[in-house]
Coordinates of all heavy atoms in Angstrom, one line a residue:
A499 N -14.7 32.2 15.1 CA -16.2 31.9 15.1 C -16.5 31.2 13.8 O -17.2 30.2 13.9 CB -17.0 33.2 15.3
L500 N -16.0 31.7 12.7 CA -16.3 31.0 11.4 C -15.7 29.6 11.4 O -16.3 28.7 10.8 CB -15.8 31.8 10.3 CG -16.5 33.1 10.0 CD1 -15.7 34.0 9.0 CD2 -17.9 32.8 9.4
S501 N -14.6 29.4 12.0 CA -14.0 28.1 12.0 C -14.8 27.0 12.8 O -14.6 25.8 12.5 CB -12.6 28.1 12.6 OG -12.6 28.2 14.0
Q502 N -15.7 27.5 13.6 CA -16.6 26.6 14.3 C -17.9 26.4 13.6 O -18.7 25.6 14.0 CB -16.9 27.1 15.7 CG -15.6 27.2 16.6 CD -15.9 27.6 18.0 OE1 -16.6 26.9 18.7 NE2 -15.4 28.8 18.4
I503 N -18.1 27.1 12.5 CA -19.2 26.8 11.6 C -18.8 26.0 10.4 O -19.4 25.0 10.1 CB -19.8 28.2 11.2 CG1 -20.3 29.0 12.4 CG2 -20.9 28.0 10.2 CD1 -20.7 30.4 12.1
L504 N -17.7 26.4 9.8 CA -17.1 25.8 8.6 C -16.0 24.8 9.1 O -14.8 25.1 8.8 CB -16.6 26.8 7.6 CG -17.7 27.8 7.2 CD1 -17.2 29.2 7.1 CD2 -18.3 27.4 5.8
V505 N -16.4 23.8 9.7 CA -15.4 22.9 10.5 C -14.7 21.9 9.6 O -15.3 21.3 8.7 CB -16.2 22.2 11.6 CG1 -15.3 21.2 12.2 CG2 -16.8 23.1 12.6
V506 N -13.4 21.8 9.8 CA -12.6 20.8 9.2 C -12.1 19.9 10.4 O -11.5 20.4 11.3 CB -11.4 21.3 8.4 CG1 -10.4 20.1 8.2 CG2 -11.8 21.9 7.1
V507 N -12.5 18.6 10.4 CA -12.1 17.7 11.5 C -10.7 17.3 11.2 O -10.4 16.6 10.2 CB -13.1 16.5 11.6 CG1 -12.6 15.6 12.7 CG2 -14.5 17.0 11.8
D508 N -9.7 17.6 12.1 CA -8.3 17.3 11.7 C -8.1 15.8 11.6 O -7.2 15.4 10.8 CB -7.4 18.0 12.8 CG -7.6 17.4 14.2 OD1 -8.8 17.2 14.6 OD2 -6.6 17.2 14.9
M549 N -11.3 20.6 3.1 CA -12.7 20.4 3.2 C -13.2 19.2 2.4 O -14.0 18.4 2.8 CB -13.4 21.7 2.8 CG -15.0 21.6 2.9 SD -15.5 21.2 4.6 CE -15.2 22.8 5.4
N552 N -12.1 16.2 4.3 CA -12.9 16.2 5.5 C -14.3 15.6 5.3 O -14.7 14.7 6.0 CB -12.9 17.6 6.1 CG -13.9 17.8 7.2 OD1 -13.9 17.0 8.2 ND2 -14.7 18.8 7.2
L553 N -14.9 16.1 4.2 CA -16.3 15.7 3.9 C -16.4 14.8 2.7 O -17.4 14.7 2.0 CB -17.2 16.9 3.8 CG -17.4 17.6 5.2 CD1 -18.3 18.9 5.0 CD2 -18.1 16.7 6.2
N577 N -21.8 13.3 1.4 CA -21.4 14.0 2.6 C -21.4 15.5 2.6 O -22.1 16.2 3.3 CB -20.0 13.4 3.1 CG -19.8 13.6 4.5 OD1 -20.6 13.9 5.3 ND2 -18.6 13.3 5.0
R580 N -24.7 17.3 1.8 CA -25.6 17.4 3.0 C -25.1 18.6 3.9 O -25.9 19.4 4.3 CB -25.6 16.1 3.7 CG -26.6 16.1 4.9 CD -26.4 14.8 5.7 NE -26.5 13.6 4.8 CZ -27.6 13.1 4.4 NH1 -28.8 13.6 4.8 NH2 -27.6 12.0 3.6
E581 N -23.8 18.5 4.3 CA -23.3 19.4 5.3 C -23.2 20.9 4.9 O -23.3 21.8 5.7 CB -22.0 18.9 5.9 CG -21.9 17.5 6.3 CD -23.0 17.1 7.3 OE1 -23.8 17.9 7.7 OE2 -23.0 15.9 7.7
I582 N -23.0 21.1 3.6 CA -22.9 22.5 3.1 C -24.2 23.2 3.3 O -24.3 24.4 3.5 CB -22.3 22.6 1.7 CG1 -22.0 24.1 1.4 CG2 -23.4 22.1 0.7 CD1 -21.3 24.3 0.0
M583 N -25.3 22.4 3.2 CA -26.6 23.0 3.5 C -26.9 23.0 5.0 O -27.3 24.0 5.5 CB -27.7 22.2 2.7 CG -27.5 22.3 1.2 SD -28.9 21.5 0.3 CE -28.6 19.8 0.5
Q584 N -26.8 21.9 5.6 CA -27.2 21.8 7.0 C -26.3 22.7 7.9 O -26.9 23.3 8.8 CB -27.1 20.4 7.5 CG -27.5 20.2 9.0 CD -27.4 18.8 9.4 OE1 -27.3 17.8 8.7 NE2 -27.4 18.6 10.8
L585 N -25.0 22.8 7.7 CA -24.1 23.4 8.6 C -23.6 24.7 8.1 O -23.2 25.6 8.9 CB -23.0 22.5 8.9 CG -23.3 21.1 9.5 CD1 -22.1 20.3 9.8 CD2 -24.1 21.3 10.8
F586 N -23.5 24.9 6.8 CA -22.8 26.1 6.2 C -23.7 27.2 5.6 O -23.2 28.2 5.3 CB -21.8 25.7 5.1 CG -20.7 24.7 5.6 CD1 -19.9 24.1 4.6 CD2 -20.6 24.3 6.9 CE1 -18.9 23.2 5.0 CE2 -19.6 23.4 7.3 CZ -18.8 22.8 6.3
G589 N -29.3 25.4 7.0 CA -29.9 24.7 8.1 C -30.9 23.7 7.6 O -31.2 23.6 6.4
L590 N -31.5 23.0 8.6 CA -32.4 21.9 8.2 C -33.8 22.4 7.9 O -34.5 21.8 7.1 CB -32.5 20.9 9.4 CG -31.2 20.1 9.6 CD1 -31.4 19.3 10.9 CD2 -31.1 19.1 8.5
Y611 N -34.8 21.2 2.8 CA -34.5 20.4 1.7 C -34.8 18.9 2.1 O -35.1 18.6 3.2 CB -33.0 20.5 1.3 CG -32.1 20.2 2.5 CD1 -31.7 19.0 2.8 CD2 -31.6 21.3 3.2 CE1 -30.8 18.7 3.9 CE2 -30.8 21.1 4.3 CZ -30.4 19.8 4.6 OH -29.5 19.6 5.7
F1080 N -29.9 32.0 9.3 CA -29.1 30.9 9.8 C -27.7 31.3 10.3 O -27.3 31.0 11.4 CB -29.0 29.8 8.8 CG -28.2 28.6 9.2 CD1 -28.7 27.6 10.0 CD2 -26.8 28.5 8.8 CE1 -27.9 26.5 10.4 CE2 -26.1 27.5 9.2 CZ -26.6 26.4 10.0
R1084 N -25.9 31.8 14.1 CA -24.7 31.1 14.5 C -23.6 32.1 14.9 O -22.9 31.8 15.9 CB -24.2 30.3 13.3 CG -25.0 29.1 12.9 CD -25.0 28.0 14.0 NE -25.8 26.9 13.6 CZ -27.1 26.7 13.9 NH1 -27.7 27.6 14.6 NH2 -27.8 25.6 13.6
Q1087 N -24.4 33.5 18.4 CA -24.2 32.5 19.4 C -22.7 32.3 19.7 O -22.3 32.1 20.8 CB -24.7 31.1 19.0 CG -26.2 31.0 19.1 CD -26.7 29.6 18.8 OE1 -26.3 29.0 17.9 NE2 -27.7 29.1 19.6
R1088 N -21.9 32.4 18.7 CA -20.4 32.3 18.9 C -19.8 33.5 19.5 O -18.7 33.4 20.1 CB -19.7 31.9 17.6 CG -20.1 30.5 17.1 CD -19.4 29.3 17.7 NE -19.3 29.3 19.1 CZ -20.2 28.9 19.9 NH1 -21.3 28.4 19.5 NH2 -20.0 28.9 21.2
E1151 N -16.3 30.1 26.0 CA -15.5 28.9 25.6 C -14.2 28.8 26.3 O -13.6 29.8 26.6 CB -15.3 29.0 24.0 CG -16.5 29.1 23.2 CD -16.2 29.5 21.8 OE1 -15.2 28.9 21.3 OE2 -17.0 30.3 21.2
K1180 N -6.9 20.0 24.0 CA -8.1 19.3 23.7 C -8.4 18.2 24.7 O -9.5 18.0 25.2 CB -8.0 18.7 22.3 CG -9.3 17.9 21.9 CD -10.5 18.8 21.8 CE -11.6 18.1 21.1 NZ -12.0 16.9 21.6
G1184 N -11.2 20.0 26.6 CA -12.3 19.7 25.7 C -12.3 20.6 24.4 O -13.1 20.4 23.6
Q1185 N -11.4 21.6 24.3 CA -11.4 22.5 23.2 C -10.0 22.9 22.9 O -9.2 23.2 23.8 CB -12.3 23.7 23.4 CG -12.5 24.6 22.2 CD -13.2 25.9 22.4 OE1 -13.2 26.4 23.6 NE2 -13.9 26.4 21.4
E1189 N -8.8 21.2 16.5 CA -9.0 19.9 17.0 C -10.5 19.6 17.2 O -10.9 19.5 18.4 CB -8.1 19.6 18.2 CG -6.6 19.8 18.0 CD -5.8 19.4 19.2 OE1 -6.1 18.4 19.8 OE2 -4.9 20.2 19.5
Y1190 N -11.2 19.4 16.2 CA -12.6 19.1 16.3 C -12.9 17.6 16.2 O -12.2 16.9 15.4 CB -13.4 19.8 15.1 CG -13.3 21.3 15.1 CD1 -12.3 22.0 14.4 CD2 -14.2 22.1 15.9 CE1 -12.2 23.4 14.5 CE2 -14.1 23.5 15.9 CZ -13.1 24.1 15.2 OH -13.1 25.5 15.2
D1191 N -13.8 17.2 17.0 CA -14.2 15.8 16.9 C -15.1 15.5 15.8 O -15.0 14.4 15.2 CB -14.9 15.3 18.2 CG -13.9 15.3 19.4 OD1 -12.7 14.8 19.2 OD2 -14.3 15.6 20.5
T1192 N -16.0 16.4 15.5 CA -17.0 16.2 14.4 C -17.2 17.5 13.7 O -16.8 18.6 14.1 CB -18.4 15.7 15.0 OG1 -19.0 16.8 15.6 CG2 -18.2 14.6 16.0
V1193 N -17.9 17.4 12.5 CA -18.2 18.6 11.8 C -19.2 19.5 12.5 O -19.5 20.6 12.1 CB -18.8 18.2 10.4 CG1 -17.7 17.6 9.5 CG2 -20.0 17.4 10.5
F1194 N -19.8 19.0 13.6 CA -20.7 19.9 14.4 C -20.0 20.7 15.4 O -20.6 21.3 16.3 CB -21.7 19.0 15.1 CG -22.6 18.2 14.1 CD1 -22.3 16.9 13.8 CD2 -23.6 18.8 13.5 CE1 -23.1 16.2 12.9 CE2 -24.4 18.2 12.6 CZ -24.1 16.8 12.3
S1195 N -18.7 20.8 15.3 CA -17.9 21.7 16.1 C -17.8 21.2 17.6 O -18.2 20.0 17.8 CB -18.4 23.1 16.1 OG -17.6 24.0 16.8
F1196 N -17.4 22.0 18.4 CA -17.2 21.6 19.8 C -18.6 21.6 20.5 O -18.8 20.9 21.5 CB -16.3 22.6 20.6 CG -14.9 22.7 20.0 CD1 -14.5 23.9 19.4 CD2 -14.0 21.7 20.0 CE1 -13.3 24.0 18.8 CE2 -12.8 21.8 19.5 CZ -12.4 22.9 18.9
F1197 N -19.5 22.5 20.1 CA -20.7 22.8 20.8 C -21.9 22.6 19.8 O -21.8 23.0 18.7 CB -20.7 24.2 21.4 CG -19.4 24.5 22.1 CD1 -18.6 25.6 21.6 CD2 -18.9 23.8 23.2 CE1 -17.4 25.9 22.2 CE2 -17.7 24.2 23.8 CZ -17.0 25.2 23.2
L1198 N -23.0 22.1 20.3 CA -24.2 22.0 19.5 C -25.1 23.2 19.6 O -25.5 23.5 20.7 CB -25.0 20.7 19.9 CG -24.3 19.4 19.7 CD1 -25.1 18.3 20.2 CD2 -23.9 19.2 18.2
P1199 N -25.3 23.9 18.5 CA -26.1 25.2 18.6 C -27.4 25.0 19.3 O -27.9 26.0 19.9 CB -26.2 25.6 17.2 CG -25.1 24.9 16.5 CD -24.9 23.6 17.2
E1200 N -28.0 23.9 19.1 CA -29.4 23.7 19.6 C -29.4 23.0 21.0 O -30.5 22.5 21.4 CB -30.2 22.9 18.6 CG -29.8 21.4 18.4 CD -28.6 21.3 17.4 OE1 -28.1 22.3 16.9 OE2 -28.2 20.1 17.1
Y1201 N -28.3 22.8 21.6 CA -28.2 22.0 22.9 C -29.0 22.8 24.0 O -28.7 23.9 24.3 CB -26.8 21.8 23.3 CG -26.7 20.9 24.5 CD1 -26.9 19.5 24.4 CD2 -26.5 21.5 25.8 CE1 -26.8 18.7 25.5 CE2 -26.4 20.7 26.9 CZ -26.6 19.3 26.8 OH -26.6 18.5 27.9
P1217 N -25.2 26.2 24.1 CA -24.4 25.3 23.3 C -23.1 24.8 24.0 O -22.8 23.7 24.0 CB -24.0 26.2 22.1 CG -25.1 27.1 21.9 CD -25.5 27.5 23.3
E1218 N -22.5 25.7 24.8 CA -21.2 25.4 25.4 C -21.4 24.4 26.6 O -20.5 23.7 27.0 CB -20.5 26.6 26.0 CG -20.1 27.6 24.9 CD -21.3 28.5 24.4 OE1 -22.3 28.5 25.0 OE2 -21.1 29.2 23.4
V1220 N -22.8 21.6 26.5 CA -22.6 20.3 26.0 C -21.2 19.8 26.4 O -21.0 18.5 26.6 CB -22.8 20.1 24.5 CG1 -21.7 20.7 23.7 CG2 -23.1 18.7 24.1
A1221 N -20.3 20.7 26.6 CA -18.9 20.3 26.9 C -18.6 20.6 28.4 O -17.4 20.5 28.8 CB -17.9 21.0 26.0
L1373 N -22.6 4.6 18.6 CA -21.7 4.5 17.5 C -21.8 5.8 16.7 O -22.6 5.8 15.7 CB -21.8 3.2 16.7 CG -21.9 2.0 17.6 CD1 -22.1 0.7 16.7 CD2 -20.7 1.8 18.5
S1374 N -21.2 6.9 17.0 CA -21.4 8.2 16.4 C -20.9 8.2 15.0 O -19.8 7.8 14.7 CB -20.7 9.2 17.2 OG -21.2 9.3 18.6
G1375 N -21.8 8.8 14.1 CA -21.4 9.0 12.7 C -22.2 8.1 11.8 O -22.3 8.4 10.6
G1376 N -22.9 7.1 12.4 CA -23.7 6.2 11.5 C -22.9 5.0 11.1 O -22.2 5.0 10.2
Q1469 N -36.0 14.7 11.5 CA -35.2 15.0 10.3 C -34.3 13.9 10.0 O -33.3 13.6 10.7 CB -34.4 16.3 10.7 CG -33.4 16.7 9.6 CD -34.1 17.0 8.3 OE1 -34.0 16.3 7.3 NE2 -34.8 18.2 8.2
L1470 N -34.6 13.1 9.0 CA -33.9 11.9 8.6 C -32.5 12.2 8.0 O -32.3 13.3 7.4 CB -34.7 11.1 7.7 CG -36.0 10.5 8.2 CD1 -36.8 9.8 7.0 CD2 -35.8 9.6 9.3
F1471 N -31.6 11.3 8.3 CA -30.3 11.3 7.6 C -29.4 12.4 8.1 O -28.3 12.5 7.5 CB -30.4 11.4 6.1 CG -31.5 10.5 5.5 CD1 -32.5 11.0 4.7 CD2 -31.5 9.1 5.8 CE1 -33.6 10.2 4.2 CE2 -32.5 8.3 5.2 CZ -33.6 8.9 4.5
A1472 N -29.7 13.1 9.1 CA -28.9 14.2 9.6 C -28.3 13.7 11.0 O -29.0 13.2 11.9 CB -29.6 15.5 9.9
H1473 N -26.9 13.8 11.1 CA -26.2 13.2 12.2 C -26.8 13.7 13.6 O -27.2 12.9 14.4 CB -24.8 13.6 12.2 CG -24.0 12.9 11.2 ND1 -23.7 11.6 11.2 CD2 -23.3 13.4 10.1 CE1 -23.0 11.2 10.2 NE2 -22.7 12.3 9.5
N1474 N -26.8 15.0 13.8 CA -27.2 15.5 15.1 C -28.6 15.2 15.5 O -28.9 14.8 16.6 CB -26.9 17.0 15.2 CG -27.6 17.8 14.1 OD1 -27.9 17.3 13.1 ND2 -27.7 19.1 14.3
W1475 N -29.5 15.3 14.5 CA -30.9 15.0 14.9 C -31.2 13.6 15.1 O -32.0 13.2 16.0 CB -31.8 15.6 13.7 CG -31.8 17.1 13.7 CD1 -31.0 17.9 12.9 CD2 -32.6 18.0 14.5 NE1 -31.2 19.2 13.2 CE2 -32.2 19.3 14.1 CE3 -33.6 17.8 15.4 CZ2 -32.8 20.4 14.7 CZ3 -34.2 18.9 16.0 CH2 -33.8 20.2 15.6
M1476 N -30.6 12.7 14.3 CA -30.9 11.3 14.5 C -30.1 10.7 15.7 O -30.5 9.7 16.3 CB -30.6 10.5 13.2 CG -31.6 10.9 12.1 SD -31.6 9.8 10.7 CE -32.4 8.4 11.3
Q1477 N -28.9 11.3 16.1 CA -28.3 10.9 17.3 C -29.2 11.3 18.5 O -29.4 10.5 19.4 CB -26.9 11.6 17.4 CG -25.8 11.0 16.6 CD -24.5 11.6 16.8 OE1 -24.3 12.2 17.9 NE2 -23.6 11.4 15.9
Q1478 N -29.7 12.5 18.4 CA -30.7 12.9 19.5 C -31.9 12.0 19.5 O -32.4 11.6 20.6 CB -31.1 14.4 19.2 CG -30.0 15.4 19.4 CD -29.6 15.6 20.8 OE1 -30.5 16.0 21.6 NE2 -28.4 15.4 21.1
Q1481 N -31.1 8.8 21.3 CA -30.8 9.0 22.7 C -32.1 9.4 23.5 O -32.2 9.1 24.7 CB -29.8 10.1 23.0 CG -28.4 9.8 22.5 CD -27.4 10.9 22.7 OE1 -27.3 11.4 23.9 NE2 -26.7 11.2 21.7
W1516 N -18.4 13.1 27.7 CA -19.2 14.1 27.0 C -20.6 14.1 27.5 O -21.1 13.1 27.9 CB -19.2 13.8 25.5 CG -19.4 15.1 24.6 CD1 -20.5 15.4 23.9 CD2 -18.4 16.1 24.4 NE1 -20.3 16.6 23.2 CE2 -19.0 17.0 23.5 CE3 -17.1 16.3 24.8 CZ2 -18.4 18.2 23.1 CZ3 -16.4 17.5 24.4 CH2 -17.1 18.4 23.5
G1634 N -16.7 7.5 18.1 CA -16.9 8.2 16.9 C -16.1 7.5 15.7 O -15.4 6.5 15.9
G1635 N -16.2 8.1 14.6 CA -15.4 7.7 13.4 C -16.2 6.9 12.4 O -15.7 6.4 11.4
D1637 N -18.6 7.7 10.3 CA -19.1 8.4 9.2 C -18.3 8.0 8.0 O -17.6 8.9 7.4 CB -19.2 9.8 9.4 CG -20.1 10.6 8.5 OD1 -20.9 10.0 7.9 OD2 -19.9 11.8 8.4
H1639 N -17.7 7.8 4.7 CA -18.0 8.1 3.3 C -17.0 7.7 2.4 O -17.2 7.7 1.1 CB -18.3 9.6 3.2 CG -19.5 10.1 3.8 ND1 -20.7 10.1 3.2 CD2 -19.7 10.6 5.1 CE1 -21.6 10.6 4.0 NE2 -21.1 10.9 5.2
D1680 N -26.6 6.8 14.9 CA -27.5 7.8 14.3 C -28.4 7.1 13.3 O -29.6 7.3 13.2 CB -26.7 8.8 13.5 CG -25.2 9.1 13.9 OD1 -24.7 8.3 14.7 OD2 -24.6 10.0 13.5
F1681 N -27.7 6.2 12.5 CA -28.4 5.5 11.4 C -27.4 4.5 10.8 O -26.2 4.5 11.2 CB -28.8 6.5 10.3 CG -27.9 7.6 10.0 CD1 -26.6 7.4 9.5 CD2 -28.2 8.9 10.3 CE1 -25.7 8.4 9.2 CE2 -27.3 10.0 10.1 CZ -26.1 9.7 9.5
R1683 N -25.8 2.8 7.1 CA -25.3 3.4 5.9 C -26.0 2.8 4.7 O -26.6 1.7 4.7 CB -23.8 3.1 5.7 CG -22.9 3.2 7.0 CD -22.8 4.6 7.5 NE -22.2 5.6 6.5 CZ -22.0 6.9 6.9 NH1 -22.3 7.3 8.1 NH2 -21.4 7.7 6.0
H1695 N -25.4 8.2 4.3 CA -26.3 8.2 5.4 C -27.6 7.4 5.0 O -28.1 7.6 3.9 CB -26.8 9.6 5.8 CG -25.6 10.5 6.2 ND1 -25.8 11.7 6.7 CD2 -24.3 10.2 6.3 CE1 -24.7 12.3 7.1 NE2 -23.7 11.4 6.8

Side-chain angles (χ1 to χ4, degrees):
L500 287 169
S501 75
Q502 297 186 62
I503 299 170
L504 301 140
V505 173
V506 166
V507 179
D508 62 322
M549 180 58 74
N552 170 49
L553 289 176
N577 202 7
R580 183 186 309 276
E581 308 306 0
I582 193 174
M583 293 188 287
Q584 181 181 344
L585 302 179
F586 302 170
L590 290 170
Y611 54 86
F1080 175 84
R1084 292 293 181 267
Q1087 284 186 317
R1088 294 278 46 83
E1151 302 170 38
K1180 179 64 166 56
Q1185 187 187 26
E1189 297 186 45
Y1190 297 92
D1191 287 323
T1192 74
V1193 292
F1194 296 98
S1195 185
F1196 303 110
F1197 318 114
L1198 297 177
E1200 66 277 4
Y1201 183 78
E1218 297 80 11
V1220 74
L1373 309 180
S1374 299
Q1469 176 60 254
L1470 296 176
F1471 317 123
H1473 287 294
N1474 52 343
W1475 291 94
M1476 292 193 76
Q1477 284 185 20
Q1478 292 286 305
Q1481 294 182 50
W1516 207 252
D1637 197 19
H1639 290 274
D1680 336 13
F1681 37 66
R1683 316 295 298 187
H1695 300 186

